[in-house]
Amino acid sequence: MTTLNGVALAGRAGHWDVALEGARIAALTPSEAKGGGLLLPCFADAHVHLDKTFTAARVPARPQSLHEAIALMAGDKPNWTAEDLRSRAARGLRRAFANGTKAMRSHVDWTEAGVPEALPVLRGLAEEWRGSVELQLATLTPLDAFAEFGETIAQEIAGTGAVLGAFVYRNDAIPEKLRAVFDLAEKHDLMLDFHVDEGLDPEAQGLDAILDETEARGMTGRVLVGHCCALSVRPEGAVTDLLGRAGEAGMALCTLPTTNAFLQDATPGRTPRLRGLAPIHEARAAGMPVMLASDNVCDPFYPQGDYDLFDVYRTAVLSGHLSPADWLASVTETPAQWLGHDVALAPGAPADFIHIAVSSLDDALNRPRAARTVWRGGAPIPETSGDFA
């Protein structure tokens, strides 16, 4: 049996001795000892793009908007061979694992009628990484394309555990087109994940139509909305009403603080005034599960990042004025539960956690270079597991 003595546990007062027996936590016991470091649950990253990752060096310019980034990414897609996709996505999974992520949802671009090259590649990686990083896939298709091949997408992913996703922004006839997406989700028993209102136009109101359908169909716990940047510039009364309804409807919100900060209100030579951060305090107060996620990593949408959710969390604590202890669950338990997993530290649970050589959660945020060790199955993982070359 291995015991970690005098550790601080995020969300619990005092210090604890953590006894490990094999690959499980045997006991958590209050301790008089101190100085054992901090233990965090493993992370769950509910919104990433493994098919796009590590392409930033291949695009010719820095985008000044979301739509410029989309165009730059489209220009790189001829390079997306199976070998290229596998190499880049596997690198992302290695980084995530080394940084303490245990579960992940990756979007897969599906913009034409045929099955995208990335889908079988990422399915293969999901099998290879099962037990290390539980990888769930979500298709990502422009809303207008569902009329052409939405049924094909739904049939392909039905029964696989994948999620049906759409990109919604200032489309024509949004309510009618969304009804077709929800019809497919009900027909094939699929969860839904939307990139919605990812801009600073107050007239971007795709969220309203998504909420209408979620309420009408009683799809509690099955609809996740991501980005929702436009809520940051819409009238307060409308936002309060929408979030209250969304909380009652059981919708969840995933906010992406790094990518949104990079792309929103970007003008050369001008300091940005608006950052596009969704109203996450208000959303959580209204009863919505709220998550933080990595989104894009080293691609035209965000040319930095390392699949390190603690870094994303640190960024959000600053940009969103978050109380650290109150919001740690937004990168651990909350997204893990939404993805169908449990990362809580408790007797009998897997001995999977993150140890940081600090005295408290605040100390960890203050000292980004503090030593971090990821434990899986009751033992530290090798330091080289991230393959940082």
Side-chain angles (χ1 to χ4, degrees):
M1 181 177 290
T2 300
T3 302
L4 305 179
N5 295 309
V7 301
L9 295 177
R12 303 188 190 211
H15 291 79
W16 299 77
D17 294 336
V18 181
L20 312 179
E21 188 166 1
R24 296 274 167 181
I25 297 173
L28 302 176
T29 308
S31 177
E32 296 298 321
K34 296 182 180 180
L38 170 71
L39 291 194
L40 304 178
C42 284
F43 301 129
D45 210 342
H47 183 128
V48 307
H49 294 266
L50 288 173
D51 55 352
K52 297 180 172 76
T53 198
F54 299 117
T55 56
R58 302 196 313 213
V59 299
R62 170 177 170 154
Q64 301 302 322
S65 70
L66 170 66
H67 294 288
E68 285 187 27
I70 291 171
L72 286 168
M73 194 78 272
D76 186 66
K77 282 191 175 180
N79 298 314
W80 291 19
T81 63
E83 181 180 0
D84 171 68
L85 285 158
R86 178 180 172 79
S87 174
R88 293 187 289 102
R91 185 180 177 192
L93 286 163
R94 290 194 297 272
R95 297 278 185 99
F97 178 70
N99 286 322
T101 290
K102 187 174 181 179
M104 174 183 284
R105 176 183 289 180
S106 178
H107 297 275
V108 184
D109 277 16
W110 194 327
T111 58
E112 299 176 354
V115 175
E117 187 84 62
L119 187 64
V121 171
L122 292 180
R123 280 174 171 168
L125 286 171
E127 288 300 318
E128 291 179 26
W129 280 84
R130 193 174 306 281
S132 297
V133 178
E134 303 297 337
L135 177 60
Q136 181 186 69
L137 304 181
T139 58
L140 177 57
T141 301
L143 181 61
D144 291 347
F146 273 85
E148 180 183 352
F149 50 86
E151 179 65 36
T152 300
I153 297 172
Q155 288 182 6
E156 175 65 31
I157 67 172
T160 68
V163 175
L164 188 65
F167 174 77
V168 182
Y169 190 74
R170 301 300 310 275
N171 306 71
D172 295 328
I174 286 178
E176 293 81 0
K177 292 171 181 175
L178 277 173
R179 279 196 285 274
V181 177
F182 275 80
D183 285 344
L184 289 171
E186 288 191 327
K187 177 181 177 182
H188 296 280
D189 193 24
L190 297 168
M191 294 183 70
L192 289 164
D193 190 325
F194 293 97
H195 288 57
V196 58
D197 300 342
E198 190 179 350
L200 297 174
D201 188 337
E203 299 303 315
Q205 298 180 12
L207 176 63
D208 307 49
I210 293 170
L211 176 55
D212 288 343
E213 287 298 318
T214 303
E215 290 175 325
R217 299 173 190 246
M219 292 183 69
T220 299
R222 295 181 60 189
V223 180
L224 175 63
V225 290
H227 295 290
C228 300
C229 305
L231 287 178
S232 67
V233 293
R234 290 182 63 177
E236 291 287 342
V239 171
T240 298
D241 177 65
L242 283 169
L243 296 179
R245 289 171 54 201
E248 292 181 2
M251 284 174 52
L253 170 66
C254 189
T255 191
L256 300 312
T258 53
T259 300
N260 288 342
F262 178 72
L263 288 177
Q264 301 304 317
D265 200 15
T267 302
R270 174 183 175 275
T271 303
R273 310 296 200 267
L274 305 172
R275 305 326 326 266
L277 184 66
I280 53 179
H281 289 276
E282 296 84 347
R284 196 175 71 167
M288 296 183 74
V290 176
M291 312 163 209
L292 306 169
S294 295
D295 200 7
N296 300 87
V297 172
C298 296
D299 65 28
F301 298 83
Y302 181 61
Q304 284 89 49
D306 193 42
Y307 291 99
D308 184 355
L309 268 180
F310 198 74
D311 187 52
V312 172
Y313 164 72
R314 179 185 285 109
T315 299
V317 165
L318 172 62
S319 61
H321 290 180
L322 307 183
S323 171
D326 291 343
W327 284 86
L328 181 64
S330 65
V331 292
T332 56
E333 285 96 338
T334 300
Q337 290 167 6
W338 194 262
L339 298 179
H341 302 287
D342 184 3
V343 296
L345 302 180
D352 300 337
F353 48 78
I354 300 158
H355 179 272
I356 307 179
V358 293
S359 61
S360 66
L361 182 59
D362 286 338
D363 198 24
L365 289 167
N366 297 340
R367 300 171 57 202
R369 295 183 62 188
R372 184 193 312 181
T373 305
V374 177
W375 288 62
R376 299 297 298 272
I381 67 172
E383 293 184 6
T384 58
S385 65
D387 186 16
F388 297 110

